[in-house]
Amino acid sequence: MTDVSRLSINQETIKQWSLPELTEGCVKAGIDKVGLWRGPVQEYGVERTAQLLKDAGLTVTSLCRGGFFTALDPAERAQALDDNRTAIDEAAALSTDTLVLVSGGLPSGSRDLHGARERVAEALAELGPYAQERGVRLAIEPLHPMFASDRCVVSTLSQALDIAERFPAEQVGVVVDTYHIWWDDQAAAQIARAGEGGRIHSFQLADWITPLPAGVLVGRGQLGDGSVDFRAFREMVEATGFDGPIEVEIFNEDLWARDGAGVLAEVAARYVEHAC
């Protein structure tokens, strides 16, 4: 193995590990960065998690997830805003400057994609200043179009930037996730656009493999097993001046069924082979 100094291991990649196991495993492997998810953090305790990682010398590169802003019902929208304020507070407590946002899908019975995206922008107008006061940036993650109906009406970097650019870059930016944008022939231009505006708040890697499983949410592939040219994406992102962490986030039941230490070692080796 060579340099893994920028490698961050997203918690979901080794979902079978508890937070203490993840912490211990990363320390043993010489990896000092992790991306976290709110559910396991809340279960373990936010302050307890922060102390665990601080004592181990690990940096939290992102917290996932906030978002789900597209509801039409006023009470549901208010509840979503409250939950996102809590997520921002959690990110600040974990000393990460990046909260990843999954925007939300179409409300039941709706076909109005434009209106749903506008509600995302309306929510960010309320949350951006709150996040900035706490040193947290909101990072819109475009998801592959297959998720547009039920999970994320923002499907491309262009759409994400069209929303993000309404706000200061220190408040709202984007996630560049290879799994979701590898297919887009505008990806290079939009990465350059995001970099020029200082809006690349997170850079994540996962491969695209086919056939997709029945539950497409857990269809992400190990690096090198699919169609994504990771080195090309890294070079595009770095050409903008981005030199931050590179987070590997893979949802894959086969990986979750394996020994965590073996998965971690494989992820690090594949990162070096395919992305460095």
Side-chain angles (χ1 to χ4, degrees), residues 6 11-12 53 55 65 86 105 123 160 179 181 186 203 208 211-213 219 224 248:
R6 294 175 62 192
Q11 185 172 18
E12 285 293 285
L53 298 178
D55 291 345
R65 65 184 188 252
T86 299
Y179 178 76
I181 67 167
Q186 294 300 308
F203 178 33
W208 181 275
L212 293 173
V248 175

Side-chain angles (χ1 to χ4, degrees), residues 4-132:
V4 294
S5 62
R6 294 175 62 192
L7 173 61
S8 174
I9 300 296
N10 187 280
Q11 185 172 18
E12 285 293 285
T13 303
I14 315 178
K15 187 178 181 178
Q16 62 269 43
W17 267 356
S18 67
L19 269 164
E21 289 171 330
L22 177 68
T23 301
E24 181 182 3
C26 285
V27 169
K28 286 182 177 179
I31 295 167
D32 63 0
K33 299 175 182 63
V34 293
L36 299 181
W37 277 68
R38 293 179 65 200
V41 168
Q42 290 171 346
E43 183 177 348
Y44 191 74
V46 177
E47 298 298 335
R48 190 179 174 204
T49 300
Q51 191 63 53
L52 173 72
L53 298 178
K54 180 180 179 181
D55 291 345
L58 298 186
T59 298
V60 181
T61 55
S62 71
L63 178 65
C64 196
R65 65 184 188 252
F68 289 85
F69 299 127
T70 56
L72 290 166
D73 179 72
E76 290 182 25
R77 289 182 58 73
Q79 183 178 15
L81 289 171
D82 285 344
D83 182 62
N84 276 272
R85 292 185 188 98
T86 299
I88 291 165
D89 293 341
E90 291 168 351
L94 294 166
S95 299
T96 181
D97 64 359
T98 303
L99 176 66
V100 174
L101 305 179
V102 175
S103 298
L106 284 172
S108 178
S110 173
R111 294 176 175 83
D112 183 6
L113 280 168
H114 175 75
R117 292 178 187 133
E118 284 303 304
R119 289 192 293 280
V120 174
E122 291 167 7
L124 293 173
E126 291 199 38
L127 295 170
Y130 185 89
Q132 185 177 6

Side-chain angles (χ1 to χ4, degrees), residues 211-251:
L212 293 173
V216 295
L217 187 63
V218 294
R220 295 180 176 220
Q222 174 64 281
L223 309 188
D225 283 353
S227 304
V228 180
D229 187 340
F230 295 104
R231 189 165 291 110
F233 270 97
R234 178 184 59 76
E235 290 171 352
M236 283 187 277
V237 170
E238 288 181 349
T240 73
F242 179 88
D243 60 358
I246 302 174
E247 193 171 305
V248 175
E249 183 187 59
I250 304 171
F251 311 154

Side-chain angles (χ1 to χ4, degrees), residues 116-159:
R117 292 178 187 133
E118 284 303 304
R119 289 192 293 280
V120 174
E122 291 167 7
L124 293 173
E126 291 199 38
L127 295 170
Y130 185 89
Q132 185 177 6
E133 289 172 0
R134 288 152 182 79
V136 176
R137 307 174 302 179
L138 305 176
I140 304 169
E141 181 170 16
L143 267 57
H144 190 279
M146 67 181 173
F147 296 113
S149 64
D150 65 340
R151 190 167 296 272
C152 187
V153 295
V154 178
S155 301
T156 66
L157 272 178
S158 177
Q159 292 169 359

